[in-house]
Amino acid sequence: MQKLIAYPLSIIYYLLFGTTLVIFHVIQWICFNLFGYNAHKKSVDALCFFLVLNTYVLGTRYKITGREKLPANIPLIIAANHQSWYDITTIGWFLRKIHPKYVSKIELGRGIPSISYNLRHGGSVLIDRKDGKQAISAIRHLSEYIEIHRRSAVIFPEGTRSKTGKPRRFAENGLKILCKYAPSAYIVPITINNTWKMTRWGSFPLGTGIKIEVIIHDPIPVKDTPFPQLFEKTEQVITQAIH
């Protein structure tokens, strides 16, 4: 019965989703080209608000804990498990105050209204997973960017989504580069629960009545901890809180 109800709700959702992307693609272009970073950032915040709002059609609910733990005016490295595309919109809206920038695969940098534009122009980096040298250079650029501007880099160390919620083994290279070139940063481990259920039946229909949970754990100063211990602790903290 739940899946049957999901079909019409998913149609409504996708109509809202597509309309949002098209409208905000134009808004982003105007803000970025005529008014600069701050205006573009506000347009992206509004985009994320509406992308999250659209999911309420599906009965989606959100629970965010630990936002008070986020340090102010310090570069942050957000390390999170990865379950679906909804991880990104959730972080984009609920953690908007820390200016999240993403380590994203290069394929997402083209062809998607609003999303691709923001990834190309909003401070995120696109990596070619088949080209290790390019990926290292891009991540280094992002780490230097957050160090200078005191913003946040978001990385999913699993590298790809877990379609069942069960965490994959974390890869250390991306985190290691971010820590090396943003030495004043704090790593903030984040656990995301249940976004995989949004696509448990694939892209259509979408899951309904899902409660998405984001748990922000205690930040860890990069400079005070040797990287092997930092990496192990980050992975352990994140995975232990996955339901």
Side-chain angles (χ1 to χ4, degrees):
M1 185 65 179
Q2 186 180 19
K3 189 174 182 180
L4 187 64
I5 295 172
Y7 280 98
L9 294 180
S10 296
I11 291 171
I12 296 170
Y13 167 78
Y14 275 122
L15 288 172
L16 293 171
F17 175 73
T19 301
T20 300
L21 292 187
V22 171
I23 291 173
F24 275 94
H25 189 88
V26 177
I27 293 172
Q28 277 192 77
W29 188 94
I30 293 170
C31 290
F32 180 79
N33 287 282
L34 299 185
F35 303 106
Y37 176 84
N38 288 331
H40 180 243
K41 171 64 169 60
K42 289 179 182 178
S43 74
V44 173
D45 289 347
L47 166 66
C48 291
F49 167 75
F50 280 102
L51 291 176
V52 168
L53 185 65
N54 292 344
T55 65
Y56 282 79
V57 169
L58 301 166
T60 309
R61 295 163 293 154
Y62 294 85
K63 180 182 179 182
I64 317 297
T65 58
R67 275 184 286 188
E68 72 282 354
K69 297 178 181 180
L70 295 170
N73 299 315
I74 292 174
L76 301 177
I77 300 168
I78 306 298
N81 60 307
H82 194 19
Q83 297 184 348
S84 81
W85 127 266
Y86 298 95
D87 301 337
I88 299 168
T89 54
T90 302
I91 289 172
W93 172 242
F94 290 103
L95 301 188
R96 62 193 180 279
K97 290 184 179 180
I98 62 172
H99 294 243
K101 314 300 177 186
Y102 301 91
V103 177
S104 181
K105 60 183 181 180
I106 199 167
E107 292 83 359
L108 296 180
R110 55 182 178 269
I112 310 172
S114 284
I115 304 301
S116 297
Y117 191 88
N118 181 45
L119 289 174
R120 293 197 310 270
H121 300 287
S124 299
V125 293
L126 298 163
I127 62 170
D128 185 347
R129 290 185 288 190
K130 297 177 183 178
D131 185 345
K133 186 175 181 180
Q134 183 275 340
I136 290 171
S137 176
I139 296 172
R140 176 177 177 175
H141 174 78
L142 178 59
S143 60
E144 292 171 342
Y145 172 86
I146 66 167
E147 180 75 11
I148 293 170
H149 297 286
R150 297 183 180 183
R151 291 171 184 157
S152 304
V154 180
I155 188 168
F156 301 106
E158 290 168 285
T160 189
R161 294 173 296 172
S162 169
K163 295 181 180 180
T164 63
K166 184 178 180 180
R168 299 172 182 267
R169 184 177 179 86
F170 283 19
E172 68 174 45
N173 288 345
L175 265 178
K176 191 172 187 178
I177 296 165
L178 287 170
C179 292
K180 181 176 181 180
Y181 294 102
S184 67
Y186 279 56
I187 282 190
V188 182
I190 289 183
T191 300
I192 301 172
N193 282 309
N194 298 329
T195 56
W196 70 272
K197 294 180 181 178
M198 296 289 287
T199 54
R200 60 185 169 186
W201 298 315
S203 58
F204 188 83
L206 293 167
T208 57
I210 309 302
K211 183 178 180 179
I212 293 175
E213 181 184 32
V214 176
I215 304 169
I216 301 168
H217 303 284
D218 292 332
I220 311 167
V222 166
K223 63 182 179 181
D224 293 347
T225 312
F227 181 76
Q229 293 175 238
L230 189 65
F231 178 79
E232 182 179 359
K233 183 176 181 179
T234 298
E235 182 175 18
Q236 186 178 57
V237 166
I238 292 170
T239 56
Q240 283 183 345
I242 296 173
H243 299 328

